[in-house]
Amino acid sequence: MKYSRLLCAGIAVSLLSISPCPIPYTNAQDTSYASPAPTKGRAYYEERGDIVWEVPTHRKLIALTFDDGPDESNTPAILDLLQKYDAKATFFVVGSRVEKLPHLVKREREEGHEVGNHTFLHSSFQYISRNKALSELNQGQASIVQATGAGTHLFRPPGGSYNDTLVKLSKEKGLKIILWSWHQDTLDWRKPGVHRIADKVLRNARNGDIVLMHDYVHQSTQTVDALKIILPELKKRGYSFVTVSELLSNREKPDGLIEVNK
């Protein structure tokens, strides 16, 4: 009996000592899944340039990104604010919504913003076959081409879910997986309040950040209102808002970065 208690205690301590990979995000509008622990750690994919979380740079550049749109009210409001503050952003769009509101995605491109693939149906990539994943990528890309006349080379999987299979598939399709800075997940989909969203961004702002927000959150304008605080304040601090591709072009290669064939 004494041995059994000691064994159980030892197992408990071992489990507590394991440091799990952070789960970056679960969509409030689809809470049936969370990002799985990847086959390999972040450093493995980051060093090879397979997945981007943020970009090392000494320049005061930040990439604002918006997921799950377009939305008939929030997207135009966000575009108006970006135009007011001479800011560029990247919109990771859901193909089924693009088909309903193609003019908004076209406007995003026309105003100098970047459009990324966020799948067609916002399906979970945690438990998905390769064929289903391929279909989601292809349909998402097709919707963007139909709306704007050109595709994209950026992809953000719903919920931040990724694994070796998805990385390989994205490469085959010529897509770069873009996630976000872990300290810049605004959780705006939870509707935490305008000032909490704004404070998250402002308190943690660093060069090369990729900020996660959403231009579609059901019955919420908190993201729009938070941008009214974020944009002028960060401009005052000397930051410029750029697309993800522009941010990537300003990467300063850190020591130890492994160059691989894309």
Side-chain angles (χ1 to χ4, degrees):
M1 180 68 76
K2 179 178 181 182
Y3 173 76
S4 298
R5 287 198 298 269
L6 289 172
L7 179 59
C8 291
I11 292 171
V13 170
S14 298
L15 290 172
L16 288 171
S17 67
I18 295 173
S19 180
C21 177
I23 296 174
Y25 162 70
T26 304
N27 192 336
Q29 295 144 70
D30 183 4
T31 56
S32 61
Y33 68 95
S35 177
T39 305
K40 304 176 182 71
R42 168 174 168 171
Y44 175 87
Y45 297 105
E46 200 164 38
E47 287 174 352
R48 287 158 176 76
D50 292 335
I51 303 176
V52 176
W53 281 265
E54 56 218 1
V55 176
T57 179
H58 290 302
R59 298 189 62 190
K60 300 192 77 170
L61 303 174
I62 286 180
L64 300 177
T65 67
F66 300 91
D67 286 10
D68 296 359
D71 176 77
E72 59 189 355
S73 57
N74 283 343
T75 303
I78 288 171
L79 288 170
D80 289 345
L81 282 168
L82 294 172
Q83 189 172 54
K84 178 179 179 180
Y85 291 100
D86 191 27
K88 302 304 178 189
T90 301
F91 293 84
F92 287 94
V93 297
V94 174
S96 57
R97 298 187 64 80
V98 174
E99 288 189 344
K100 296 175 183 177
L101 300 164
H103 63 286
L104 291 178
V105 183
K106 184 178 181 182
R107 178 184 168 187
E108 289 166 1
R109 278 262 175 87
E110 289 176 343
E111 295 184 3
H113 305 293
E114 192 161 33
V115 175
N117 189 337
H118 199 42
T119 73
F120 187 75
L121 293 172
H122 203 275
S123 300
S124 167
F125 273 59
Q126 183 176 8
Y127 303 109
I128 191 171
S129 69
R130 188 182 189 281
N131 286 341
K132 174 61 176 173
L134 180 60
S135 175
E136 282 289 309
L137 289 176
N138 286 342
Q139 288 188 78
Q141 185 80 301
S143 70
I144 295 170
V145 172
Q146 182 67 29
T148 69
T152 179
H153 63 281
L154 303 181
F155 169 58
R156 176 173 285 167
S161 300
Y162 63 91
N163 53 34
D164 283 342
T165 299
L166 183 59
V167 169
K168 291 175 183 176
L169 182 58
S170 298
K171 286 183 177 182
E172 290 173 14
K173 302 303 296 182
L175 295 167
K176 170 79 76 177
I177 297 178
I178 307 295
L179 295 183
W180 53 86
S181 305
W182 284 346
H183 57 279
Q184 287 289 14
D185 184 350
T186 63
L187 300 176
D188 57 346
W189 53 272
R190 290 183 178 173
K191 308 175 189 177
V194 172
H195 289 284
R196 283 197 176 187
I197 296 170
D199 184 62
K200 179 71 171 182
V201 178
L202 297 177
R203 182 165 39 87
N204 296 294
R206 307 174 192 170
N207 297 355
D209 277 353
I210 297 177
V211 179
L212 174 62
M213 292 184 284
H214 297 76
D215 57 328
Y216 171 67
V217 178
H218 185 58
Q219 294 184 341
S220 175
T221 62
Q222 290 184 9
T223 302
V224 175
D225 294 331
L227 280 173
K228 295 174 183 177
I229 301 170
I230 293 166
L231 288 167
E233 176 58 29
L234 288 185
K235 289 272 292 188
K236 189 188 303 181
R237 297 184 194 177
Y239 283 99
S240 295
F241 303 98
V242 297
T243 64
V244 166
S245 288
E246 187 174 350
L247 189 63
L248 288 170
S249 71
N250 282 275
R251 173 187 291 275
E252 292 161 14
K253 181 180 173 183
D255 293 339
L257 182 67
I258 300 172
E259 296 289 349
V260 296
N261 294 327
K262 300 294 190 288

